[in-house]
Amino acid sequence: MYIESNSALPVYWYRRYFNRKVGIFIHYYEYAEPEQYAREPWNGYCHGKELYLYGLLNWCSHCNSRRLEFFCRDWGVPPELSHVVPNYPPREWQAHFRERRSFSAPLKAVYIGSLSNDTMYVREFAAFVMAQGGRIHWDIFAFNHDGETRRELEELGCPWIRFFPEGVEYDRIPALLDGYDVGILLYRGHSMNYRYNETNKFYEYLICGLDVWFPSSMLLLHGYQKRGTFPCVTMADFGELKSFDWECAASHEGVPCRKPLFAAEDANSQLIAALTAGRGR
């Protein structure tokens, strides 16, 4: 088994020259358009080798059905070998769910993940927070960031925006999220991969009871908008946040709570069963 095209070479060499009976399992966290392989020499070289493996597959999976659909269309992988394995957090995170019937004042927003003005609405959301005059506080945890984006954030000197360049360890995320009301997603949707990205943080925010605000450029999430129960999932035009009624979005008045119950253990069960089917033979 390998993850992503750039990990294909050891499997290619082993399967082609050492053991022609071994099964082939592939999982992709990202979707790469054919043009992307052409632009990236190393990734393209590895992908050229893995095309040989596509004819020998036992299993291929993506994190969501739209990316899987694009992948099968691009490379002719049979649907019966194709699977969806969502990027859910572990079941134990369900114990960290907190019912936020009313939000704090000021409202506390958080973003966890990679950070770049080029591919995300960092600058725009920072301007939106500043315009609220302290009614929203925003914390950013991002160890993977570019210097220009970090410099811009630090030069704002805004008391309501805090940037933590060391990020946060994965196992500490549930305890950290306990102190926030809303989880923010920021992708501009500059590629098919990001327009059809659920992102693991979407599920991590929800499993801990946070509402989620996401930009309309994340096309896959349009169908996940949810106002009838909370945690709520709200779409906004992050390119024009002046028109975003965030106070309405943050209201849970008269709305019942529905605790999310998804878990990585359930999502991975079919893959684990397929991988272990040959044990003892």
Side-chain angles (χ1 to χ4, degrees), residues 109-112 137-141 160-164 180:
V110 63
Y111 173 79
I112 301 174
H137 287 192
W138 184 30
D139 286 352
I140 304 164
F141 296 83
W160 312 308
I161 300 175
R162 297 189 299 177
F163 178 55
F164 298 89
Y180 297 93

Side-chain angles (χ1 to χ4, degrees), residues 37-38 50 253 278:
Y37 287 120
E50 78 173 338
E253 186 175 354

Side-chain angles (χ1 to χ4, degrees), residues 26-37:
I26 312 172
H27 179 68
Y28 294 93
Y29 284 107
E30 311 287 346
Y31 165 70
E33 299 169 69
E35 297 79 8
Q36 182 176 337
Y37 287 120

Side-chain angles (χ1 to χ4, degrees), residues 94 97 203 205-210 226 230-231 257-263:
Q94 294 176 10
F97 181 85
Y203 295 111
Y205 294 150
L206 288 175
I207 204 72
C208 292
L210 278 69
K226 184 163 64 76
F230 71 88
C257 177
R258 180 172 295 173
K259 181 179 178 180
L261 295 175
F262 45 76

Side-chain angles (χ1 to χ4, degrees), residues 116-182:
S116 171
N117 266 320
D118 291 338
T119 59
M120 300 177 186
Y121 288 105
V122 183
R123 185 182 298 118
E124 291 83 353
F125 197 78
F128 165 72
V129 171
M130 294 175 67
Q132 308 315 309
R135 292 185 296 160
I136 298 178
H137 287 192
W138 184 30
D139 286 352
I140 304 164
F141 296 83
F143 73 87
N144 183 11
H145 57 271
D146 63 80
E148 180 64 19
T149 302
R150 177 175 180 172
R151 182 187 63 78
E152 282 195 31
L153 284 170
E154 292 175 343
E155 288 182 354
L156 289 176
C158 178
W160 312 308
I161 300 175
R162 297 189 299 177
F163 178 55
F164 298 89
E166 70 279 7
V168 57
E169 293 180 10
Y170 186 76
D171 290 342
R172 291 186 54 238
I173 290 175
L176 175 76
L177 291 181
D178 186 59
Y180 297 93
D181 304 304
V182 177

